[in-house]
Amino acid sequence: MNALKIAATGMAAQQMRVDVISNNIANMSTTAYQPRVAEFADLIYQQYQTPGTLSSQTGSTVPAGIQIGMGVRPTTVSMEIVQGALSQTGGDLDLAIEGRGFFEIIQPNGESAFTRDGKFYRDAEGLMVNSDGHALADQITIPNDTNRLTISQDGEVVAYFDNATAGQTIGTLTLNVFANTKGLEALGGNLYRETEASGAPINGAAGTEGIGVMRQGYLEDSGVDVVEEISELIEAQRGYELNSKIITAADEMLAATTRIR
Amino acid sequence: MDNAIYTMLTRQSGLMREFSTVANNVANMGTTGFKAEHGVFTEFISRLENGSAAGLGGDSLSMGRLGAHATDFSDGGLKSTGGALDMAISGDGFFQVQTNAGPRLTRAGHFMLNADRVLVDPQGNAVMGAGGGEIAIPLEAANIQVGLDGTISSDGIEYGRIGVVTAAPDTLVREGGNLWNAPNTRPLEEAKIVSGFLEQSNVNPVLEMARMIEVQRHYDAGQSLMDLEDDRIRSVAQTVRQMS
């Protein structure tokens, strides 16, 4: 019986929605997390009678036909590109991006990864690294005797040393944008990787049109809207329940069928 | 087999299909732009083979069968997503996307840009503009806005206009993947496009549950009628045996 399989696709879809929502809620405090949204589409249709064909009985054209759908399937779990709110932290190496850009990080295997998480640290050699210790592609080395550090909106890193009133530029941070940000592959650890769908990263100076600017002393909050997620969760749960009711009813109908002598 | 059984069978199999339709509606409760479907039962009159001349009665068999499907084209509710390229059509019309098999219609306006910065649907089909071509948005367009008439612009520069078409409802063939196929479409000039929203499925859960119960009960009734018919034939056979 089709209804059993159809309702099963419905349950699987709602289950997936719950999975996506729970991951969003789990990341409600993750720096610069972009919420994901699951989208669905109907499956193929079995055409018992195509609309517009001739009716066998009267020879007239059938107005609507009989098309029975085979259920639902997930199409995308896409990132919603939202600008998260900025939280003030005061950290010299805390950077929030206002705009569409990403920082480039070099992973231990030498591959590039991209992130909007601007929580950076200084490692033993003075290199600017992310929370996992991976270096920024811009390779900023902060000298040992640095007293104070300023990073301008355009990414210029200026170090101030003891007794000196004038700072010294020690490097410039750049940002990357993608033709299709939704096409990035999430690696976990707030990192993304370029794919065929996202296109190659376009590197540019912060402050250029469309790339965005940096805010020192701020971090970008997670873009998750908890209220919205919870209402989505309730919706998904109810959808799951209704689909399971269909399965129960289909089962009862099958039982009735098998009772025929 | 007896005629009553035939009549019941067409009805039972029709009810099964109707039940599949209910199941499909419920499964697609969360599908963007989905339109619910309802079955329509019609009378199907079959002339019996050994019948005499037409018009005398008693030589035809009337059966209830699933004759057609009616699609509910009413608007689904709008859900705010905040996505600049999420669009919903308020009222009549369909978006048009270019698939490998030709242009198809859709109400699901969850669009995005691909690696070539062309506006596509989640399956990668290019969204067709009012003139029939693709719509590409260059990288420097930072604040993309979609107007009520479907014009896509950024900082005052226009990059294209989304085409909205309409077709006679009886010519629309569902293809799955939120797509519809229609042989004859015509552009709809007065379409209203709401950006930042997606159209939800127009499935009404309460109605579907009521229909589910209805179909189930009718099916049960049909089954017990078949049991009764079976008993009747049995008792006839028994009587005949006893008489001989």
Side-chain angles (χ1 to χ4, degrees):
Chain A
M1 191 150 127
N2 281 338
L4 280 173
K5 285 178 243 158
I6 295 168
T9 64
M11 285 174 91
Q14 301 296 355
Q15 175 87 63
M16 186 172 172
R17 219 165 133 196
V18 171
D19 289 347
V20 172
I21 295 166
S22 44
N23 187 50
N24 284 345
I25 294 179
N27 282 294
M28 60 182 270
S29 344
T30 303
T31 309
Y33 175 79
Q34 307 280 327
R36 308 299 201 275
V37 174
E39 283 283 326
F40 301 96
D42 43 359
L43 268 173
I44 52 157
Y45 282 78
Q46 200 171 348
Q47 309 284 350
Y48 285 96
Q49 188 178 292
T50 318
T53 50
L54 287 183
S55 151
S56 57
Q57 266 197 297
T58 54
S60 56
T61 313
V62 297
I66 305 176
Q67 312 163 48
I68 293 182
M70 293 292 127
V72 60
R73 70 179 167 91
T75 44
T76 54
V77 177
S78 66
M79 255 196 289
E80 281 303 293
I81 315 293
V82 291
Q83 170 76 56
L86 303 189
S87 284
Q88 193 167 14
T89 60
D92 270 359
L93 290 175
D94 288 349
L95 293 170
I97 300 169
E98 224 183 300
R100 288 187 303 176
F102 285 80
F103 296 109
E104 187 176 351
I105 304 282
I106 305 296
Q107 298 181 87
N109 61 8
E111 265 184 48
S112 280
F114 300 87
T115 185
R116 281 179 66 87
D117 174 4
K119 181 97 187 137
F120 295 117
Y121 299 87
R122 187 173 171 271
D123 75 358
E125 280 94 57
L127 206 61
M128 208 168 148
V129 295
N130 78 350
S131 323
D132 292 328
H134 309 334
L136 267 157
D138 294 317
Q139 300 282 343
I140 310 282
T141 311
I142 304 161
N144 267 333
D145 49 350
T146 306
N147 214 2
R148 195 162 58 88
L149 200 72
T150 62
I151 299 168
S152 75
Q153 282 194 14
D154 309 335
E156 194 187 356
V157 188
V158 180
Y160 291 85
F161 303 105
D162 288 338
N163 306 326
T165 45
Q168 193 187 326
T169 303
I170 54 170
T172 307
L173 288 168
T174 56
L175 292 176
N176 300 273
V177 285
F178 294 89
N180 171 25
T181 315
K182 289 189 178 194
L184 289 172
E185 180 192 341
L187 296 174
N190 283 348
L191 299 178
Y192 297 94
R193 182 163 61 191
E194 66 165 292
T195 68
E196 191 110 320
S198 71
I202 301 150
N203 191 267
T208 333
E209 183 67 29
I211 289 186
V213 294
M214 290 175 208
R215 300 275 181 220
Q216 190 189 19
Y218 289 88
L219 284 177
E220 186 183 350
D221 289 347
S222 167
V224 175
D225 179 341
V226 185
V227 181
E228 201 184 300
E229 297 295 336
I230 295 290
S231 68
E232 277 265 328
L233 183 69
I234 294 169
E235 215 178 287
Q237 193 187 356
R238 296 291 171 244
Y240 190 84
E241 281 172 15
L242 289 184
N243 278 294
S244 77
K245 280 212 168 64
I246 293 277
I247 293 207
T248 314
D251 180 41
E252 280 166 17
M253 277 167 79
L254 271 185
T257 312
T258 50
R259 273 202 308 271
I260 312 177
R261 267 169 283 208
Chain B
M1 260 223 276
D2 204 80
N3 287 343
I5 301 271
Y6 277 133
T7 311
M8 247 14 258
L9 275 179
T10 53
R11 179 162 169 76
Q12 295 295 79
S13 75
L15 282 170
M16 275 286 188
R17 286 186 191 174
E18 170 71 350
F19 192 72
S20 297
T21 309
V22 175
N24 191 49
N25 287 344
V26 172
N28 283 292
M29 252 174 55
T31 302
T32 313
F34 181 79
K35 299 290 170 211
E37 272 196 315
H38 301 175
V40 177
F41 282 85
T42 56
E43 191 181 30
F44 180 83
I45 299 175
S46 164
R47 181 175 298 173
L48 297 177
E49 280 177 40
N50 54 356
S52 56
L56 290 176
D59 62 341
S60 66
L61 177 62
S62 167
M63 297 185 267
R65 60 151 198 177
L66 186 64
H69 260 174
T71 308
D72 174 7
F73 280 105
S74 65
D75 278 20
L78 297 186
K79 181 174 78 177
S80 163
T81 62
L85 295 175
D86 284 346
M87 302 166 211
I89 299 174
S90 167
D92 255 2
F94 289 87
F95 297 111
Q96 227 180 347
V97 294
Q98 187 69 54
T99 70
N100 290 336
R104 293 291 183 271
L105 311 185
T106 184
R107 290 280 293 191
H110 185 61
F111 300 140
M112 49 197 82
L113 297 169
N114 68 8
D116 302 324
R117 299 283 291 177
V118 171
L119 195 66
V120 292
D121 74 358
Q123 281 139 96
N125 303 316
V127 180
M128 291 165 77
E134 297 177 342
I135 298 169
I137 300 164
L139 199 64
E140 52 287 3
N143 310 304
I144 301 168
Q145 276 168 343
V146 183
L148 206 60
D149 62 343
T151 309
I152 301 185
S153 62
S154 170
D155 299 322
I157 306 162
E158 274 187 29
Y159 294 110
R161 191 159 77 87
I162 306 270
V164 175
V165 296
T166 180
D170 57 342
T171 59
L172 287 163
V173 179
R174 286 177 176 254
E175 285 202 336
N178 286 340
L179 301 178
W180 304 72
N181 187 11
N184 299 306
T185 57
R186 60 177 181 82
L188 191 72
E189 289 303 329
E190 65 277 17
K192 260 172 76 182
I193 295 179
V194 197
S195 120
F197 288 86
L198 285 178
E199 183 181 353
Q200 290 180 293
S201 165
N202 74 348
V203 172
N204 177 345
V206 181
L207 207 72
E208 297 302 332
M209 281 299 115
R211 286 179 59 223
M212 181 193 87
I213 294 166
E214 198 184 326
V215 169
Q216 205 187 353
R217 295 291 168 249
H218 283 170
Y219 192 83
D220 280 351
Q223 225 59 287
S224 55
L225 194 122
M226 259 198 251
D227 280 350
L228 282 177
E229 182 67 8
D230 179 56
D231 283 347
R232 190 181 67 81
I233 296 170
R234 255 170 222 271
S235 71
V236 168
Q238 194 121 32
T239 316
V240 170
R241 204 181 313 135
Q242 280 166 359
M243 274 161 49
S244 60

mmCIF file of all heavy atoms in Angstrom, chain A residues 19-42:
data_model
loop_
_atom_site.group_PDB
_atom_site.id
_atom_site.type_symbol
_atom_site.label_atom_id
_atom_site.label_comp_id
_atom_site.label_asym_id
_atom_site.label_seq_id
_atom_site.Cartn_x
_atom_site.Cartn_y
_atom_site.Cartn_z
ATOM 1 N N ASP A 19 16.177 17.274 13.420
ATOM 2 C CA ASP A 19 17.640 17.188 13.526
ATOM 3 C C ASP A 19 18.283 18.544 13.255
ATOM 4 O O ASP A 19 19.179 18.981 13.977
ATOM 5 C CB ASP A 19 18.197 16.167 12.522
ATOM 6 C CG ASP A 19 17.858 14.741 12.925
ATOM 7 O OD1 ASP A 19 17.436 14.539 14.067
ATOM 8 O OD2 ASP A 19 18.014 13.845 12.073
ATOM 9 N N VAL A 20 17.809 19.196 12.176
ATOM 10 C CA VAL A 20 18.376 20.503 11.796
ATOM 11 C C VAL A 20 18.109 21.532 12.896
ATOM 12 O O VAL A 20 18.997 22.290 13.291
ATOM 13 C CB VAL A 20 17.795 20.967 10.439
ATOM 14 C CG1 VAL A 20 18.211 22.395 10.133
ATOM 15 C CG2 VAL A 20 18.236 20.039 9.328
ATOM 16 N N ILE A 21 16.862 21.512 13.424
ATOM 17 C CA ILE A 21 16.493 22.471 14.467
ATOM 18 C C ILE A 21 17.318 22.226 15.731
ATOM 19 O O ILE A 21 17.810 23.168 16.358
ATOM 20 C CB ILE A 21 14.979 22.379 14.781
ATOM 21 C CG1 ILE A 21 14.166 22.817 13.566
ATOM 22 C CG2 ILE A 21 14.609 23.224 15.985
ATOM 23 C CD1 ILE A 21 12.699 22.450 13.632
ATOM 24 N N SER A 22 17.498 20.952 16.096
ATOM 25 C CA SER A 22 18.251 20.690 17.338
ATOM 26 C C SER A 22 19.702 21.134 17.190
ATOM 27 O O SER A 22 20.289 21.643 18.143
ATOM 28 C CB SER A 22 18.141 19.233 17.770
ATOM 29 O OG SER A 22 18.293 18.373 16.697
ATOM 30 N N ASN A 23 20.245 20.986 15.983
ATOM 31 C CA ASN A 23 21.614 21.473 15.783
ATOM 32 C C ASN A 23 21.670 22.996 15.885
ATOM 33 O O ASN A 23 22.611 23.557 16.448
ATOM 34 C CB ASN A 23 22.152 21.012 14.423
ATOM 35 C CG ASN A 23 23.605 21.337 14.251
ATOM 36 O OD1 ASN A 23 24.418 21.031 15.116
ATOM 37 N ND2 ASN A 23 23.941 21.997 13.164
ATOM 38 N N ASN A 24 20.650 23.681 15.365
ATOM 39 C CA ASN A 24 20.592 25.144 15.484
ATOM 40 C C ASN A 24 20.525 25.559 16.948
ATOM 41 O O ASN A 24 21.250 26.454 17.387
ATOM 42 C CB ASN A 24 19.364 25.693 14.761
ATOM 43 C CG ASN A 24 19.541 25.713 13.265
ATOM 44 O OD1 ASN A 24 20.659 25.588 12.765
ATOM 45 N ND2 ASN A 24 18.461 25.864 12.541
ATOM 46 N N ILE A 25 19.643 24.885 17.711
ATOM 47 C CA ILE A 25 19.479 25.256 19.121
ATOM 48 C C ILE A 25 20.759 24.955 19.897
ATOM 49 O O ILE A 25 21.184 25.738 20.746
ATOM 50 C CB ILE A 25 18.246 24.543 19.724
ATOM 51 C CG1 ILE A 25 16.988 25.088 19.045
ATOM 52 C CG2 ILE A 25 18.163 24.758 21.226
ATOM 53 C CD1 ILE A 25 15.693 24.475 19.495
ATOM 54 N N ALA A 26 21.400 23.823 19.571
ATOM 55 C CA ALA A 26 22.658 23.488 20.242
ATOM 56 C C ALA A 26 23.712 24.556 19.984
ATOM 57 O O ALA A 26 24.583 24.797 20.807
ATOM 58 C CB ALA A 26 23.157 22.127 19.758
ATOM 59 N N ASN A 27 23.606 25.242 18.835
ATOM 60 C CA ASN A 27 24.587 26.254 18.478
ATOM 61 C C ASN A 27 24.101 27.677 18.721
ATOM 62 O O ASN A 27 24.581 28.611 18.091
ATOM 63 C CB ASN A 27 24.984 26.089 17.013
ATOM 64 C CG ASN A 27 25.956 24.944 16.835
ATOM 65 O OD1 ASN A 27 27.077 24.998 17.314
ATOM 66 N ND2 ASN A 27 25.509 23.893 16.180
ATOM 67 N N MET A 28 23.155 27.823 19.641
ATOM 68 C CA MET A 28 22.610 29.162 19.859
ATOM 69 C C MET A 28 23.623 30.114 20.494
ATOM 70 O O MET A 28 23.407 31.323 20.485
ATOM 71 C CB MET A 28 21.313 29.118 20.665
ATOM 72 C CG MET A 28 21.460 28.517 22.033
ATOM 73 S SD MET A 28 19.886 28.462 22.889
ATOM 74 C CE MET A 28 19.951 30.044 23.693
ATOM 75 N N SER A 29 24.708 29.577 21.054
ATOM 76 C CA SER A 29 25.732 30.488 21.581
ATOM 77 C C SER A 29 27.056 30.344 20.858
ATOM 78 O O SER A 29 28.072 30.838 21.327
ATOM 79 C CB SER A 29 25.971 30.279 23.069
ATOM 80 O OG SER A 29 24.974 29.554 23.668
ATOM 81 N N THR A 30 27.054 29.649 19.731
ATOM 82 C CA THR A 30 28.295 29.489 18.979
ATOM 83 C C THR A 30 28.595 30.780 18.220
ATOM 84 O O THR A 30 27.722 31.301 17.534
ATOM 85 C CB THR A 30 28.152 28.318 17.992
ATOM 86 O OG1 THR A 30 27.819 27.154 18.730
ATOM 87 C CG2 THR A 30 29.421 28.088 17.213
ATOM 88 N N THR A 31 29.802 31.252 18.362
ATOM 89 C CA THR A 31 30.184 32.503 17.697
ATOM 90 C C THR A 31 29.973 32.398 16.189
ATOM 91 O O THR A 31 30.425 31.442 15.567
ATOM 92 C CB THR A 31 31.669 32.811 17.978
ATOM 93 O OG1 THR A 31 31.877 32.737 19.376
ATOM 94 C CG2 THR A 31 32.068 34.189 17.477
ATOM 95 N N ALA A 32 29.286 33.377 15.637
ATOM 96 C CA ALA A 32 29.084 33.521 14.191
ATOM 97 C C ALA A 32 28.453 32.305 13.531
ATOM 98 O O ALA A 32 28.663 32.059 12.355
ATOM 99 C CB ALA A 32 30.398 33.865 13.493
ATOM 100 N N TYR A 33 27.646 31.541 14.280
ATOM 101 C CA TYR A 33 26.970 30.384 13.676
ATOM 102 C C TYR A 33 25.833 30.859 12.777
ATOM 103 O O TYR A 33 25.090 31.766 13.138
ATOM 104 C CB TYR A 33 26.427 29.469 14.774
ATOM 105 C CG TYR A 33 25.618 28.298 14.267
ATOM 106 C CD1 TYR A 33 26.249 27.173 13.761
ATOM 107 C CD2 TYR A 33 24.222 28.330 14.277
ATOM 108 C CE1 TYR A 33 25.509 26.101 13.278
ATOM 109 C CE2 TYR A 33 23.477 27.267 13.798
ATOM 110 C CZ TYR A 33 24.125 26.163 13.296
ATOM 111 O OH TYR A 33 23.392 25.102 12.823
ATOM 112 N N GLN A 34 25.736 30.236 11.597
ATOM 113 C CA GLN A 34 24.649 30.570 10.681
ATOM 114 C C GLN A 34 23.586 29.488 10.787
ATOM 115 O O GLN A 34 23.879 28.327 10.538
ATOM 116 C CB GLN A 34 25.160 30.611 9.238
ATOM 117 C CG GLN A 34 26.357 31.508 9.017
ATOM 118 C CD GLN A 34 25.983 32.967 8.907
ATOM 119 O OE1 GLN A 34 24.926 33.297 8.415
ATOM 120 N NE2 GLN A 34 26.840 33.830 9.379
ATOM 121 N N PRO A 35 22.351 29.831 11.139
ATOM 122 C CA PRO A 35 21.327 28.807 11.264
ATOM 123 C C PRO A 35 21.047 28.106 9.937
ATOM 124 O O PRO A 35 21.176 28.704 8.874
ATOM 125 C CB PRO A 35 20.100 29.569 11.746
ATOM 126 C CG PRO A 35 20.386 30.991 11.539
ATOM 127 C CD PRO A 35 21.852 31.166 11.491
ATOM 128 N N ARG A 36 20.699 26.837 10.027
ATOM 129 C CA ARG A 36 20.382 26.060 8.825
ATOM 130 C C ARG A 36 18.870 25.884 8.723
ATOM 131 O O ARG A 36 18.189 25.799 9.745
ATOM 132 C CB ARG A 36 21.023 24.667 8.893
ATOM 133 C CG ARG A 36 22.507 24.663 9.201
ATOM 134 C CD ARG A 36 23.293 25.396 8.143
ATOM 135 N NE ARG A 36 24.688 25.020 8.126
ATOM 136 C CZ ARG A 36 25.631 25.545 8.891
ATOM 137 N NH1 ARG A 36 25.318 26.480 9.763
ATOM 138 N NH2 ARG A 36 26.875 25.147 8.791
ATOM 139 N N VAL A 37 18.393 25.810 7.501
ATOM 140 C CA VAL A 37 16.972 25.600 7.272
ATOM 141 C C VAL A 37 16.798 24.438 6.313
ATOM 142 O O VAL A 37 17.422 24.407 5.255
ATOM 143 C CB VAL A 37 16.306 26.866 6.686
ATOM 144 C CG1 VAL A 37 14.859 26.588 6.324
ATOM 145 C CG2 VAL A 37 16.381 28.010 7.659
ATOM 146 N N ALA A 38 15.973 23.469 6.700
ATOM 147 C CA ALA A 38 15.703 22.335 5.812
ATOM 148 C C ALA A 38 14.529 22.688 4.912
ATOM 149 O O ALA A 38 13.530 23.234 5.357
ATOM 150 C CB ALA A 38 15.376 21.094 6.635
ATOM 151 N N GLU A 39 14.684 22.409 3.617
ATOM 152 C CA GLU A 39 13.615 22.666 2.654
ATOM 153 C C GLU A 39 13.214 21.352 2.000
ATOM 154 O O GLU A 39 14.057 20.485 1.762
ATOM 155 C CB GLU A 39 14.118 23.617 1.553
ATOM 156 C CG GLU A 39 14.181 25.057 1.988
ATOM 157 C CD GLU A 39 12.822 25.723 2.015
ATOM 158 O OE1 GLU A 39 11.977 25.397 1.167
ATOM 159 O OE2 GLU A 39 12.605 26.563 2.895
ATOM 160 N N PHE A 40 11.936 21.235 1.700
ATOM 161 C CA PHE A 40 11.428 19.982 1.135
ATOM 162 C C PHE A 40 10.704 20.213 -0.183
ATOM 163 O O PHE A 40 10.266 21.318 -0.472
ATOM 164 C CB PHE A 40 10.488 19.313 2.130
ATOM 165 C CG PHE A 40 11.165 19.018 3.437
ATOM 166 C CD1 PHE A 40 11.055 19.889 4.511
ATOM 167 C CD2 PHE A 40 11.952 17.894 3.569
ATOM 168 C CE1 PHE A 40 11.711 19.643 5.702
ATOM 169 C CE2 PHE A 40 12.604 17.634 4.758
ATOM 170 C CZ PHE A 40 12.485 18.509 5.822
ATOM 171 N N ALA A 41 10.597 19.147 -0.951
ATOM 172 C CA ALA A 41 9.835 19.197 -2.198
ATOM 173 C C ALA A 41 9.055 17.904 -2.335
ATOM 174 O O ALA A 41 9.445 16.882 -1.775
ATOM 175 C CB ALA A 41 10.771 19.363 -3.388
ATOM 176 N N ASP A 42 7.945 17.958 -3.078
ATOM 177 C CA ASP A 42 7.180 16.728 -3.263
ATOM 178 C C ASP A 42 7.928 15.779 -4.194
ATOM 179 O O ASP A 42 8.684 16.191 -5.059
ATOM 180 C CB ASP A 42 5.756 17.012 -3.767
ATOM 181 C CG ASP A 42 5.703 18.058 -4.859
ATOM 182 O OD1 ASP A 42 6.764 18.579 -5.227
ATOM 183 O OD2 ASP A 42 4.610 18.351 -5.348
#
